Amino acid sequence: MRGKTVIVTGANSGIGKATAAAIVKLQGRVIMACRNQARAEEAARDIRQETGADGGQVVFKQLDLASLESVRSFCEDIIKEEPRLDVLINNAGVYQCPYTRTEDGFEMQFGVNHLGHFLLTNLLLDLLKRSAPSRIVVVSSKLYKHGDINFEDLNSEQFYDKAFAYSRSKLANLLFTCELACRLEGSGVTVNALTPGIVRTNLGRHVHIPVLAKPLFNLLSWGLFKSPEDGAQTSVYLASCPDVDGVQGKCFADCKPLDLLGKATNQEVASKLWDISEVMVGITT
């Protein structure tokens, strides 16, 4: 990855931090796109200490995916400051939070996990195309299987279930990948998705576990869940490995192609979701 610039969203903890560290070890330069400056700068210090990287190789830039204004400002800065962008890793996410809305009034999980990354990717596409061959990596989840795209209630105003809303946002990630892959044919930019598996991260902070069950849960998680480093392997593989040169619109798990349910590759639904997402985030094409 020497000489390559990689943006990782949500790089201050969990899979994102492990992904950033692995790319730096491969001699890539990482822009950590994170909401919380203090936590991101602490994570950047950890990565520099772990890898021996210098200050220019691990850079923090403020990005709040729950704010379309923040996404636009971030992209303006990147386009102004960066001569090239080789890889964009859409990693950040919120998981099973209580019903809340983004700054722009979208249900939080759909707003951050799908719409924020949708706008981010679209605004950076020209730079990615100028830097081709380049790659986009989308972190989804096997929980997409429990999701459904209800075009009549994308904002969960009629019904909200936090687990279903998360699954829907992860299904949206895969449909986004499907449609974007079609649009990128022949551009030199590839997009692929992945499911990392169950990983020990702070993503589950909104999941309530009874106090008496916590010691057992913690013990089981160490035995059964992946470490962030293991969870990051497929992200790093899709960002860096020559094996996936030119591979377009696929989903991977454990660095191998994954067969998806038909609802995640439905071209008609993917196209309709794209069009509605453009309207929601204010893109005109």
Side-chain angles (χ1 to χ4, degrees):
M1 297 294 282
R2 185 192 294 273
K4 295 193 173 179
T5 294
V6 181
I7 291 175
V8 183
T9 68
N12 59 290
S13 65
I15 296 172
K17 182 180 176 184
T19 300
I23 286 166
V24 171
K25 285 175 185 171
L26 293 171
Q27 301 186 326
R29 174 173 171 264
V30 172
I31 298 171
M32 302 172 68
C34 308
R35 182 174 55 85
N36 186 306
Q37 181 171 351
R39 286 174 58 195
E41 287 178 345
E42 183 183 347
R45 280 195 298 273
D46 291 345
I47 291 170
R48 290 188 199 109
Q49 200 169 353
E50 180 189 343
T51 61
D54 61 36
Q57 204 179 343
V58 188
V59 180
F60 159 72
K61 284 201 77 67
Q62 212 275 337
L63 170 66
D64 182 359
L65 288 158
S67 162
L68 298 183
E69 184 183 352
S70 174
V71 175
R72 290 181 186 279
S73 175
F74 172 87
C75 292
E76 282 171 16
D77 286 351
I78 292 293
I79 291 162
K80 199 185 303 173
E81 296 166 8
E82 298 297 329
R84 60 182 301 110
L85 175 59
D86 299 277
V87 186
L88 170 63
I89 303 180
N90 290 336
N91 165 84
V94 289
Y95 177 72
Q96 293 199 15
C97 58
Y99 188 84
T100 44
R101 295 194 183 209
T102 67
E103 184 180 286
D104 304 278
F106 306 124
E107 185 275 311
M108 186 63 72
Q109 295 187 85
F110 190 74
V112 169
N113 299 354
H114 170 59
L115 291 173
H117 281 121
F118 177 87
L119 179 61
L120 177 77
T121 306
N122 272 284
L123 293 179
L124 293 176
L125 267 186
D126 283 346
L127 181 57
L128 284 158
K129 287 175 181 175
R130 289 200 301 274
S131 310
S134 53
R135 302 180 182 187
I136 300 165
V137 178
V138 178
V139 180
S140 183
S141 164
K142 284 183 181 173
L143 291 173
Y144 84 88
K145 294 175 182 177
H146 306 294
D148 193 19
I149 303 295
N150 177 4
F151 287 111
E152 304 305 312
D153 191 27
L154 284 178
N155 221 22
S156 299
E157 289 166 332
Q158 298 166 30
F159 167 78
Y160 182 72
D161 176 274
K162 62 185 183 180
F164 172 80
Y166 178 75
S167 295
R168 179 173 59 191
S169 74
K170 295 289 106 179
L171 175 58
N173 290 158
L174 295 172
L175 290 164
F176 165 69
T177 302
C178 176
E179 177 66 15
L180 182 57
C182 294
R183 291 169 178 253
L184 288 175
E185 281 298 338
S187 68
V189 185
T190 60
V191 59
N192 292 287
L194 68 112
T195 63
I198 304 174
V199 182
R200 291 191 304 273
T201 71
N202 63 0
L203 195 64
R205 61 189 176 276
H206 295 296
V207 178
H208 176 69
I209 298 162
V211 174
L212 293 176
K214 272 189 177 173
L216 178 60
F217 175 81
N218 290 339
L219 187 64
L220 284 171
S221 74
W222 278 99
L224 300 176
F225 296 0
K226 291 180 180 179
S227 68
E229 289 71 26
D230 287 341
Q233 279 185 346
T234 308
S235 293
V236 177
Y237 171 77
L238 290 177
S240 64
C241 189
D243 293 355
V244 287
D245 279 347
V247 175
Q248 187 72 283
K250 303 295 183 189
C251 186
F252 289 74
D254 297 319
C255 302
K256 297 183 183 69
L258 179 71
D259 288 329
L260 295 171
L261 297 179
K263 66 180 175 181
T265 57
N266 185 312
Q267 199 62 57
E268 189 179 335
V269 176
S271 180
K272 184 175 179 181
L273 178 63
W274 183 285
D275 291 344
I276 289 173
S277 300
E278 281 190 336
V279 173
M280 293 174 89
V281 303
I283 289 178
T284 50
T285 55

